[in-house]
Amino acid sequence: MILHPPYAAAGEAAALLRSRGYAVLSPAGVATLAGCELAQLAQLAPSWDDLPPDIYLKDGGRYRRRRHSCFVAEADGLRQVPHRAHWQPVEYNALHGGMQRWFEPMRPEVVATPAWQGLLAGLGRVCSQAKGGQPWSVEAHQFRIDTTDGIGRPTPEGAHRDGVDVVAVFLVAREGVKGGETRVFEADGPAGQRFTLTEPWCLLLLDDERVVHETTPIQPTAPGGHRDTLVLTYRAGGFQDEAAAGA
């Protein structure tokens, strides 16, 4: 049985982050947040067909493809920064933390679209409403989890935090799979919520300081089954990197 997510209005996102640590928006709510038409967001989806394999999976799997780029969202706009490695401390990612992972960057034609610019800027405004206005260091991850090995693991590290301020998880596509249930838990308590994201461009928004999250494995129901997501992380005070962690 699929449990449907508890959608909220786009205007409620910041207040829900403050009050309970997460919010879920419908595709229409995401389009409102981004200041564009839903059809403009849908035009980004074909770029998920061109993701290189993730060569860093320590479990030996072949089920993940991804691209990664970084930006800074400020009150006066969004700018892309020079390509950089993705790095997390082991405290937040026991499986892949402590290593520099260089992924191929996002395609320039995707980053240049008004829908992409509006999406990242709109989320930056929500972060500032929830946590105070400031520049936000944004890491963007395009993921495809497929069923090449018979099973795909959206979060091979298990229930986790990302070591940032806010995490945004968008479902982009879900085709020929079962499973993939999203679970959100209080970081310091017993309360939790579970549901399945099924609609393209719906959004799970998380206060990473207050909650942990995971997504259960997927299995194929048809050849070529896969689950595509966009994960955006917003962090105050700069990007996570090995040099800063060792300072």
Side-chain angles (χ1 to χ4, degrees), residues 24-157:
V24 191
L25 302 187
S26 68
V30 170
T32 297
L33 183 149
C36 69
E37 298 295 327
L38 187 55
Q40 292 176 277
L41 290 171
Q43 288 173 357
L44 303 177
S47 65
W48 268 258
D49 293 331
D50 183 36
L51 303 184
D54 183 339
I55 62 173
Y56 296 98
L57 284 171
K58 285 189 173 181
D59 64 3
R62 300 174 297 160
Y63 53 81
R64 186 158 76 183
R65 294 175 172 270
R66 69 193 293 180
R67 288 183 182 273
H68 168 252
S69 289
C70 295
F71 306 82
V72 173
E74 300 176 284
D76 60 352
L78 178 76
R79 59 183 172 87
Q80 188 169 6
V81 302
H83 193 52
R84 54 184 290 122
H86 177 51
W87 187 88
Q88 293 175 291
V90 293
E91 290 82 2
Y92 291 110
N93 190 330
L95 186 61
H96 297 115
M99 59 190 296
Q100 289 197 347
R101 290 181 284 169
W102 287 93
F103 300 108
E104 290 295 316
M106 294 183 61
R107 293 292 189 189
E109 60 269 24
V110 175
V111 171
T113 62
W116 179 261
Q117 300 283 318
L119 190 64
L120 271 66
L123 277 173
R125 290 190 291 271
V126 171
C127 291
S128 291
Q129 291 164 9
K131 293 179 171 285
Q134 58 199 293
W136 295 101
S137 297
V138 185
E139 294 198 49
H141 305 263
Q142 291 180 289
F143 287 106
R144 169 165 291 182
I145 306 298
D146 65 32
T147 50
T148 298
D149 296 331
I151 189 169
R153 295 176 174 84
T155 53
E157 64 272 43

Side-chain angles (χ1 to χ4, degrees), residues 112-239:
T113 62
W116 179 261
Q117 300 283 318
L119 190 64
L120 271 66
L123 277 173
R125 290 190 291 271
V126 171
C127 291
S128 291
Q129 291 164 9
K131 293 179 171 285
Q134 58 199 293
W136 295 101
S137 297
V138 185
E139 294 198 49
H141 305 263
Q142 291 180 289
F143 287 106
R144 169 165 291 182
I145 306 298
D146 65 32
T147 50
T148 298
D149 296 331
I151 189 169
R153 295 176 174 84
T155 53
E157 64 272 43
H160 66 285
R161 292 163 57 201
D162 288 327
V164 298
D165 289 274
V166 175
V167 178
V169 182
F170 300 84
L171 182 76
V172 176
R174 177 187 168 97
E175 299 180 13
V177 298
K178 61 181 179 180
E181 182 180 86
T182 296
R183 298 175 178 177
V184 181
F185 307 97
E186 290 179 346
D188 300 311
Q193 178 76 267
R194 61 190 184 94
F195 46 84
T196 303
L197 301 175
T198 59
E199 294 188 272
W201 293 103
C202 62
L203 164 65
L204 170 62
L205 198 58
L206 304 158
D207 182 333
D208 193 55
E209 296 177 300
R210 296 181 53 190
V211 298
V212 296
H213 64 281
E214 67 176 338
T215 301
T216 62
I218 59 172
Q219 294 176 286
T221 60
H226 63 270
R227 181 178 184 266
D228 293 348
T229 55
L230 169 66
V231 176
L232 302 175
T233 64
Y234 285 69
R235 187 174 188 268
F239 295 98

